[in-house]
Amino acid sequence: TKRICCIRGPYDMKKSLERLIEEKLKLEEQVVEILSDAAYAERFVSKPNNNRQPSMYKLLDFIRERKDIGYYDRPKLILRATPRQMTRYGLALDIMCMIDKDISDDPNLDRKLLWLRANRFKWTKLGRFFGFHRITIKRRYETLLDKLCIKLKNNFDNLDKIFN
């Protein structure tokens, strides 16, 4: 009977270790997905505009008339972010604000790294931008994501219920 307990113990330990790794990977995937959704939604957020001062392009839009050559009435397609994308955008900003001195030595650089990677910049471009090798930047990103997920592990369940 003692042998069965010894065999069963490491097996259960292996299963629990696998479960922990799966949970951690799932959390990392969710963080990456939230950041990429937020970066995509940022394209649809309206840009700041000074309505008191008309630009030349706005004036040119209003000059066209029906009798002009080549005139056709084409409605402008204006894409806006969905409410889900905007909540993900807010959640991504909250996640980015959680990067402090306890996670990294240079929080501003790591926030930029996370945001630029969410915008799907290649590792080589990021390496040139920050002045590191592409592998160094990738490792830094992975360790940052790992530490961020450890910090988020307790808080993410509450946030996940709110935003999903």
Side-chain angles (χ1 to χ4, degrees), residues 67-127:
K67 60 184 177 184
D68 291 342
I69 296 175
Y71 174 82
Y72 61 95
D73 202 10
R74 182 179 75 188
K76 290 185 178 180
L77 181 64
I78 298 174
L79 298 174
R80 295 287 178 220
T82 62
R84 181 177 180 217
Q85 287 175 329
M86 291 310 297
T87 54
R88 290 265 175 123
Y89 187 75
L91 181 59
L93 292 177
D94 291 340
I95 289 172
M96 300 279 278
C97 288
M98 287 185 175
I99 300 173
D100 289 328
K101 291 279 187 184
D102 59 340
I103 291 179
S104 69
D105 298 331
D106 192 1
N108 289 331
L109 184 128
D110 289 334
R111 287 184 194 128
K112 286 179 189 176
L113 175 63
L114 261 178
W115 191 249
L116 290 175
R117 188 58 193 160
N119 281 310
R120 298 185 178 140
F121 278 85
K122 294 182 180 178
W123 294 115
T124 51
K125 279 191 173 186
L126 291 175

Side-chain angles (χ1 to χ4, degrees), residues 6 20 29 57 77 83 97 109 140 143 156:
C6 292
L20 287 173
E29 288 174 2
Y57 297 108
L77 181 64
C97 288
L109 184 128
R140 184 173 186 142
T143 56
F156 197 75

Side-chain angles (χ1 to χ4, degrees), residues 39-88:
Y40 185 71
E42 189 183 37
R43 298 175 188 172
F44 301 126
V45 175
S46 60
K47 308 292 185 259
N49 188 6
N50 189 358
N51 291 332
R52 295 180 184 177
Q53 217 173 13
S55 67
M56 181 56 81
Y57 297 108
K58 284 185 183 178
L59 292 174
L60 290 176
D61 275 347
F62 291 116
I63 292 175
R64 295 184 184 163
E65 296 178 6
R66 287 189 183 269
K67 60 184 177 184
D68 291 342
I69 296 175
Y71 174 82
Y72 61 95
D73 202 10
R74 182 179 75 188
K76 290 185 178 180
L77 181 64
I78 298 174
L79 298 174
R80 295 287 178 220
T82 62
R84 181 177 180 217
Q85 287 175 329
M86 291 310 297
T87 54
R88 290 265 175 123

Side-chain angles (χ1 to χ4, degrees), residues 101-162:
K101 291 279 187 184
D102 59 340
I103 291 179
S104 69
D105 298 331
D106 192 1
N108 289 331
L109 184 128
D110 289 334
R111 287 184 194 128
K112 286 179 189 176
L113 175 63
L114 261 178
W115 191 249
L116 290 175
R117 188 58 193 160
N119 281 310
R120 298 185 178 140
F121 278 85
K122 294 182 180 178
W123 294 115
T124 51
K125 279 191 173 186
L126 291 175
R128 281 190 216 122
F129 181 74
F130 292 116
F132 295 109
H133 192 267
R134 62 184 171 84
I135 306 260
T136 309
I137 285 291
K138 187 174 181 179
R139 283 185 194 144
R140 184 173 186 142
Y141 175 79
E142 289 172 352
T143 56
L144 172 69
L145 199 58
D146 185 42
K147 290 178 183 178
L148 185 63
C149 287
I150 290 170
K151 187 173 182 179
L152 281 173
K153 191 172 186 178
N154 299 330
N155 302 335
F156 197 75
D157 293 332
N158 298 334
L159 295 173
D160 193 35
K161 289 175 187 173
I162 294 170

